[in-house]
Amino acid sequence: MNIYQELKARGFCYQQTDEEAIEKLLATEQVRFYVGFDPTGNSLHVGHLLPVMAMRLLQKAGHFPIVLVGGATAQIGDPSGRISARPMMTLETIAENVRCLRAQLRRFIDDTDGKALFVNNADWLCKIGYIEMLREVGSIFSVNRMLAQESVKSRLENGLSFLEFNYSILQGYDFYILNRDYGCKLEMGGQDQWGNMVAGTELVRRKSGNEVHCMTIPLLMNSSGQKFGKTSGGANVWLDVNRTSVFDYYQFWRNSDDAQVEKLMLYFSPLPIEEIKRLCDPAGNINRAKEILAYEATCLAHGETAAREAFVTAGSRFGFADPERKIPTTSSIASVEPVRVTAELPVAEIDPAELAAPEGVTVARLLVLAGLCKSNSDGRRLIQGGAVSIDDKKVTDPVAAVRIADFGEAGLVLRAGKKNFRRAVLKQQEG
């Protein structure tokens, strides 16, 4: 399997200018390729990581990444995927965001010993004059073609400023400069960038006669049909530990829906494809696959030490999926001893008499008995809102029940809301 075939097998390929030509290019030479990131904030979030993971795979295969942080294009604002214009930021804010994003991206892309290049398009776009730009590229861009781009069409009804309309030209000019000055031959980005990216390949061809290509990566959606990278409450999951703690970052991945685990592991873990498919086999232990996914994703973003601590902390609270480490894996999680080292959760003793009926007790009632809500109706509302889990498994049925047999030696870990936990254990009978 060559690198293009691996990208395709892992799900990274959505659209390409010429699939056969790109595969041949990647198979026959070291390709300089780029991905752009606009510094619209001072931190990336999980939703930004898909093209980063594609870059890592290409770099590992021997190709040369150019990481562009758009200090100039951030001053304009990309209209792609938006229903309104982005708020204007000060130049000082943009400069600080550029610094922060570069630091975060260096965790994923190795630029030691000249293995990658980090650039800022402010270095060329902010130096070219308006008339000079018009004369250099204005005759090459067709207004009719620009109006046909999805990022433009979707905004015409609500209004698109001339400022935003220029964004495609600037992104295309970036590709021209990177090809001219650094020999860049491939651009990668999200599928919503297709129109902007094709504009760049056309500009390069018309200006220099060089053949260059672009490839888009599919937009990743969660099980609710929303853009991937948000918690169940709708908050972004950030790489900045001051905005999303390492533990919460780990738990975001650990709480992935069963149906999405294989796809997420193919995207966000370096494990071999065959191993991922084995770990995610429906007949296997899907919770161990989730642990490995969370551990590997946290390793990439925060380092192995932080990932080990998050894994042990989560296992201490909610239990380990494979405490005896019987499931083989090439992940370094296999070397982490699943020992409970953190403080115990608050314990709620449940009278076995409450569960004496054959049908047991409803989860809503159990939440009341554990002191996590005031009434059965409150419990049902929490369940319907997706805020309740037992042993890290979300409860969705408002009349779901728990029986005595469901309590293990360590009891059950109940969660109601984001931070309210109890370990429910059966009260020991006297005598």
Side-chain angles (χ1 to χ4, degrees), residues 231-410:
T231 65
S232 58
N236 283 324
V237 179
W238 301 96
L239 271 64
D240 184 344
V241 295
N242 295 313
R243 302 174 76 172
T244 299
S245 70
V246 174
F247 177 78
D248 286 342
Y249 189 87
Y250 174 94
Q251 281 299 102
F252 166 77
W253 298 96
R254 177 64 180 83
N255 292 333
S256 300
D257 288 337
D258 292 4
Q260 284 205 306
V261 175
E262 181 175 327
K263 177 190 286 189
L264 296 178
M265 289 191 81
L266 288 169
Y267 281 143
F268 297 106
S269 86
L271 273 58
I273 293 173
E274 296 77 13
E275 180 180 341
I276 290 171
K277 291 186 178 297
R278 172 178 57 78
L279 289 168
C280 297
D281 188 293
N285 185 335
I286 194 64
N287 284 317
R288 181 56 168 171
K290 289 183 183 182
E291 281 184 347
I292 295 171
L293 167 64
Y295 174 85
E296 291 294 338
T298 307
C299 272
L300 288 171
H302 299 294
E304 188 170 339
T305 299
R308 286 170 173 257
E309 290 176 358
F311 164 64
V312 171
T313 300
S316 295
R317 289 188 183 182
F318 311 120
F320 295 96
D322 184 24
E324 296 179 2
R325 293 177 284 178
K326 293 181 177 179
I327 299 171
T329 176
T330 59
S331 170
S332 62
I333 197 174
S335 66
V336 184
E337 186 73 27
V339 178
R340 297 179 185 276
V341 296
T342 56
E344 285 295 319
L345 294 173
V347 173
E349 293 188 331
I350 308 299
D351 189 338
E354 294 282 354
L355 296 94
E359 66 274 15
V361 65
T362 65
V363 174
R365 176 61 181 163
L366 184 61
L367 294 175
V368 176
L369 296 172
L372 287 168
C373 64
K374 294 181 179 179
S375 66
N376 292 351
S377 58
D378 284 343
R380 287 192 292 270
R381 280 194 291 271
L382 286 168
I383 293 169
Q384 290 167 335
V388 174
S389 68
I390 297 179
D391 287 343
D392 210 24
K393 295 179 181 178
K394 186 177 288 187
V395 179
T396 57
D397 184 354
V399 295
V402 174
R403 299 167 180 82
I404 286 180
D406 296 322
F407 282 76
E409 242 181 70

Side-chain angles (χ1 to χ4, degrees), residues 33 39 56 63 65 98 107 155 164 211 214 219-220 223 241 275 325 360 363 375 387 398 411 418 426 429-430:
F33 67 97
R56 283 178 58 86
H63 299 289
V98 167
R107 301 179 197 168
R155 286 285 303 281
E164 295 172 284
E211 181 183 20
C214 61
L219 294 179
L220 181 58
S223 58
V241 295
E275 180 180 341
R325 293 177 284 178
V363 174
S375 66
K418 189 174 181 180
L426 294 175
Q429 302 298 306
E430 294 182 4

Side-chain angles (χ1 to χ4, degrees), residues 157-175:
E157 188 173 328
N158 295 326
L160 177 72
S161 70
F162 181 69
L163 179 73
E164 295 172 284
F165 186 61
N166 279 270
Y167 190 92
S168 181
I169 296 174
L170 300 182
Q171 184 169 333
Y173 194 74
D174 285 342
F175 201 174

Side-chain angles (χ1 to χ4, degrees), residues 76-129:
I76 305 301
D78 183 2
S80 303
R82 295 185 61 84
I83 60 173
S84 61
R86 296 179 185 274
M88 295 286 281
M89 296 182 291
T90 66
L91 298 183
E92 292 76 17
T93 297
I94 292 172
E96 174 61 14
N97 291 350
V98 167
R99 186 190 66 77
C100 292
L101 262 59
R102 277 185 163 182
Q104 289 186 341
L105 287 163
R106 281 192 167 98
R107 301 179 197 168
F108 298 87
I109 305 300
D110 181 11
D111 67 337
T112 59
D113 302 322
K115 294 174 186 173
L117 180 67
F118 280 74
V119 297
N120 183 347
N121 60 16
D123 292 341
W124 55 84
L125 288 176
C126 290
K127 293 176 182 177
I128 189 168

